[in-house]
Structures are given as structure tokens and as C-alpha cells.
């Protein structure tokens, strides 16, 4: 059963700490997206990759957020230092140029 | 030009009724319009999608109506069931490009 896997599912941390979220896209998919979901803003695109190359990270606060794909089976989203306003659910999604995105179950981040 | 506006923000419908969610877009280059369904604690999942060469697409109880001249599209759920209670997102993109612009979401509740 192919699915996008995200870890951790839940993370509570204190302001100023580093947070790393990981995503394993569906094997064979060549696009990977990071979205942030909040009640106020809905689904915001943070970054996306095609064939591991970053194509767009304009939605990401550059001073504290970074996204990478060290290899085809792993995408990471890092926040350093974290702030309370970063509290949200972060989704990773992958695709294969068909238009359909497959989402993981999300990482719920709470920054105290 | 990248916005997709979605309404209503929340919707309560009686079981057996018709649920209708509306979206409007601005970018005339968009040519792929999917709807995603999200249950609590899960990631969004593709429900149904349409391309602008047709004005309507139906899959079971779910129908997308598309009005190219008005730049609007809507989701109709016939014979709404409690299991349809979820958050629904409309989206738009260029077909084959999975960089989706999402609407803000509609929380649908079906009551007995």
C-alpha cells in the first residue's frame, strides 16, 4: 500500500528549539511538496521539489525555514529557531506529474 | 492572480440533502480543477477533478460543475451522508503541474 510517510506525527517543543520534520514520498514519485495548514490560512505551499531539485520555496520564511531532499526517499523541513507562530500541521505530498497529489497524514507542531 | 476563493467557510446540511461548495479563480492559465477531501487527523485526498473542456463531471454522488466564462466551479454532493462530513478544498493548477493553488476550505457537517 503506497503512501507518503511523515515523522513525527506530533511534536511539542519550546520556542527557540530546532525542529526537523521528515517525509518519505511514494516510491517513484518525482515531485515533493511541503504545505502548512492552519485554521486562519488554510493550506499554504512552503516549498516543492522536482527530481530532488528545489523549484519554489517562495512561501517559506527563509530566515528560519529550510527544505532539502538528501535523496529520492527523504525530504526534510527544518525550522530553526522555532517560534509559537510556527504551530501548525505540516503536510508533505508527492506526485508523478499527473496532477494528483498524495498527502501524508501530517506532522502537528506545537511551539510553546 | 493566483488566488482561488472558496465559499462558504462552513456548511451544515441534513442527511439526504444536497451540499454545494463554490470556488472562483482569477488566473485564466489554470486548466485543472481538483477537489480534495480531508477527514480530521488525515491529509487531503483527491476526490474528483475536472478540466475546462467539459462543463460537468460526475462520479457517483459527487459532481463538479464548471463555468469557464465566469471562472467558477462548484462541487455538488447529492444525497449527502454523515460520512461525507469533512473539510473540502477546491484547487487549481496547470494540468500536469502539481503545484496546486488551494481554496481556504469548507467544513461540511451532515446532520441526521
Amino acid at each position: 500500500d503506497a503512501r507518503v510517510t511523515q515523522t513525527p506525527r506530533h511534536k511539542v517543543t519550546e520556542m527557540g528549539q530546532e525542529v526537523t520534520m521528515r517525509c518519505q514520498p511514494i516510491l517513484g514519485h518525482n515531485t515533493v511538496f511541503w504545505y502548512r495548514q492552519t485554521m486562519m490560512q488554510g493550506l499554504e505551499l512552503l516549498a516543492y521539489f522536482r527530481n530532488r531539485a528545489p523549484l519554489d520555496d517562495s512561501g517559506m520564511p527563509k530566515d528560519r525555514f529550510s527544505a532539502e531532499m538528501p535523496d529520492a526517499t527523504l525530504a526534510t523541513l527544518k525550522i530553526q529557531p522555532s517560534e509559537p507562530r510556527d504551530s501548525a500541521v505540516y503536510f508533505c505530498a508527492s506526485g508523478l506529474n499527473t496532477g494528483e497529489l498524495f498527502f501524508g497524514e501530517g506532522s502537528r507542531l506545537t511551539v510553546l | 492572480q493566483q488566488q482561488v476563493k472558496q465559499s462558504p467557510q462552513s456548511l451544515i446540511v441534513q442527511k439526504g440533502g444536497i451540499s454545494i461548495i463554490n470556488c472562483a479563480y482569477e488566473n485564466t492559465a489554470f486548466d485543472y480543477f481538483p477537489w480534495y477531501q480531508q477527514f480530521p487527523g488525515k491529509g487531503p485526498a483527491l476526490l474528483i477533478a475536472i478540466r475546462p473542456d467539459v462543463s460537468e463531471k460526475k462520479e457517483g454522488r459527487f459532481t463538479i460543475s464548471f463555468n469557464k466564462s465566469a471562472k467558477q466551479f462548484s462541487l455538488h454532493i447529492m444525497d449527502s451522508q454523515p460520512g461525507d462530513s469533512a473539510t473540502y478544498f477546491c484547487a487549481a493548477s496547470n494540468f500536469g503541474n502539481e503545484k496546486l493553488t488551494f481554496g481556504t476550505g469548507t467544513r461540511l457537517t451532515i446532520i441526521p
Side-chain angles (χ1 to χ4, degrees):
Chain A
D1 183 26
R3 64 178 70 181
V4 175
T5 303
Q6 290 187 244
T7 57
R9 290 295 316 278
H10 302 275
K11 175 74 175 180
V12 180
T13 191
E14 293 190 346
M15 182 174 64
Q17 295 299 303
E18 178 178 301
V19 175
T20 299
M21 289 168 275
R22 294 177 174 81
C23 168
Q24 182 175 356
I26 293 174
L27 187 65
H29 282 191
N30 65 340
T31 58
V32 173
F33 294 75
W34 284 104
Y35 282 90
R36 176 170 62 184
Q37 184 174 30
T38 61
M39 288 295 293
M40 295 301 295
Q41 300 295 329
L43 281 164
E44 300 175 272
L45 177 65
L46 296 177
Y48 88 99
F49 298 79
R50 176 171 289 145
N51 297 321
R52 295 177 55 203
L55 289 191
D56 186 352
D57 61 0
S58 59
M60 205 162 62
K62 302 289 192 308
D63 56 338
R64 299 183 301 107
F65 284 62
S66 62
E68 295 180 346
M69 278 202 75
D71 61 61
T73 64
L74 177 65
T76 62
L77 180 67
K78 190 174 294 185
I79 308 174
Q80 168 63 23
S82 58
E83 298 181 1
R85 59 178 167 156
D86 300 329
S87 297
V89 182
Y90 291 81
F91 285 103
C92 175
S94 69
L96 196 52
N97 298 322
T98 63
E100 181 175 1
L101 279 185
F102 295 81
F103 283 79
E105 296 198 323
S107 294
R108 179 176 295 275
L109 173 65
T110 303
V111 183
L112 303 174
Chain B
Q1 264 226 322
Q2 294 297 316
Q3 270 192 315
V4 176
K5 296 180 180 178
Q6 183 172 348
S7 64
Q9 190 173 2
S10 63
L11 181 62
I12 299 174
V13 175
Q14 277 206 308
K15 179 182 175 183
I18 303 173
S19 305
I20 302 175
I21 305 170
N22 300 298
C23 283
Y25 63 98
E26 299 173 355
N27 188 345
T28 54
F30 287 149
D31 63 357
Y32 177 67
F33 303 92
W35 285 88
Y36 279 74
Q37 180 187 54
Q38 183 182 28
F39 293 106
K42 302 293 185 182
L46 180 65
L47 180 65
I48 186 173
I50 196 169
R51 298 202 62 200
D53 51 340
V54 296
S55 60
E56 185 175 282
K57 183 174 182 179
K58 184 175 180 179
E59 290 183 2
R61 296 183 295 107
F62 300 90
T63 300
I64 300 179
S65 298
F66 182 79
N67 185 330
K68 187 174 181 178
S69 61
K71 293 187 286 185
Q72 295 175 347
F73 58 110
S74 59
L75 176 69
H76 291 64
I77 306 175
M78 311 299 288
D79 186 27
S80 300
Q81 299 297 312
D84 298 329
S85 297
T87 300
Y88 292 81
F89 292 93
C90 63
S93 74
N94 300 114
F95 182 69
N97 180 347
E98 293 130 334
K99 184 181 176 184
L100 296 170
T101 299
F102 281 96
T104 49
T106 296
R107 179 172 288 187
L108 174 65
T109 303
I110 308 300
I111 56 175

